[in-house]
Amino acid sequence: MKVVRKTGGLFMANSYIVFDENSGEACLIDAGGYARPILDKCRELGKKLTSVLITHGHFDHLTALAKLKEETECSVYIHEADAAALSDPRLNLSDGFFLACRPIKADVLLKDGDVVEAAGLSIRVLHTPGHTPGGVCYVCGNSIFSGDTLFKLSVGRTDFPQSSYEQLADSIRSKLFVLPGDYTVYPGHGPHTSLQFERENNALV
Ligand SMILES: [Zn+2]
Ligand SMILES: [Zn+2]
């Protein structure tokens, strides 16, 4: 699997273009920042964007989504418990920042344990609520895309109305830290890390 990071927007959210090199397609994990640099990168890579997997329904991970959908007709995936946030400015927090985040409808609603086949990859869904009710991590090969659940030496904010620190810490312990062996962790903000490093050093879990 190839992973190409694009970072953008007010809160510098990470989006990841992922694909198997033998596939002509690309899958995007989260859609922060602007659509144009993501589409330009896909074109440069020679890949057609066919699916967007959202880690959770906060606007900083969604700002490029409506435009991407318009230009590529990609399928949008999100956990069923966060699906309403795609079209609700209060749930996706865009109203609090006076930002416009165009409403959009999901194509596929996800549940814990689902496997998404996209861009030549099998991507497993782990439901990790706490930052949001429908927050997920996506696991593919030796990589985890952790959204705002787990960051390098930190975790996602839990001061939002729908958040719970206890639930978030439990999700990380019972869904991520129990995975056997080590993984590269690609978070929704900041640099990548490894699961083993976080098991040993993350004081917030
Ligand atoms: Zn968030
Ligand atoms: Zn975020």
Side-chain angles (χ1 to χ4, degrees), residues 38-81:
I38 294 168
L39 291 169
D40 286 349
K41 192 67 195 180
C42 288
R43 191 172 310 115
E44 183 191 317
L45 293 163
K47 308 290 179 189
K48 179 176 161 44
L49 181 65
T50 53
S51 47
V52 181
L53 277 57
I54 300 296
T55 60
H56 68 291
H58 279 163
F59 76 94
D60 52 325
H61 302 261
L62 305 173
T63 44
L65 190 56
K67 180 88 174 155
L68 289 173
K69 176 95 179 145
E70 214 171 72
E71 297 226 355
T72 67
E73 295 177 348
C74 54
S75 298
V76 175
Y77 297 71
I78 190 167
H79 188 275
E80 56 187 5

